[in-house]
Amino acid sequence: MGRIEKLQELLLQMPGDSFLRHALALEYIKLNNDIEARALFEAVLKDEPGYVGSYYHLGKLLERNRETALAIEWYEKGMQQAKAANDQHAYNELQAAYEDLVY
């Protein structure tokens, strides 16, 4: 059984688990399945806005798909959440990605 199948099986038992959904989205990215990955990242962030790691990956996915304005919005939201969580490392990563697009 591959990683995707294992994650999907675990999600059947714990459908709202943000870690599992985030991990599955990363696996979809490896397969260039940005549609499924995007849906998962957006669902994670809708259900748990404080799940800071998903902002970066969603932003990068949007950048690859030339949705720059939307990527910038997600980076901004992520920076706000990282700041609220006092997660300086995540804030710095999001800020660097944001600045690469804006400046």
Side-chain angles (χ1 to χ4, degrees):
M1 182 182 296
R3 288 181 191 213
I4 289 176
E5 292 81 12
K6 286 180 186 176
L7 289 167
Q8 289 172 331
E9 185 177 296
L10 289 169
L11 277 168
L12 289 175
Q13 300 166 22
M14 300 175 282
D17 189 283
S18 294
F19 175 80
L20 293 174
R21 291 185 294 167
H22 178 89
L24 183 56
L26 293 176
E27 291 300 319
Y28 283 136
I29 285 174
K30 291 177 189 175
L31 297 176
N32 296 315
N33 187 344
D34 285 352
I35 293 170
E36 292 292 333
R38 179 178 178 168
L40 284 165
F41 285 136
E42 289 175 345
V44 166
L45 294 172
K46 178 182 176 239
D47 295 343
E48 192 175 342
Y51 203 84
V52 179
S54 289
Y55 289 98
Y56 178 84
H57 293 287
L58 177 56
K60 286 296 180 185
L61 183 153
L62 293 167
E63 280 185 57
R64 281 194 312 279
N65 288 290
R66 295 181 171 37
E67 294 185 64
T68 305
L70 197 51
I72 289 169
E73 286 180 36
W74 282 107
Y75 289 142
E76 289 172 341
K77 290 177 188 177
M79 286 187 290
Q80 290 172 345
Q81 289 293 328
K83 192 172 190 175
N86 202 25
D87 186 341
Q88 192 62 44
H89 177 74
Y91 181 87
N92 291 343
E93 285 185 337
L94 289 159
Q95 184 179 31
Y98 172 83
E99 288 176 356
D100 283 347
L101 288 180
V102 174
Y103 301 112

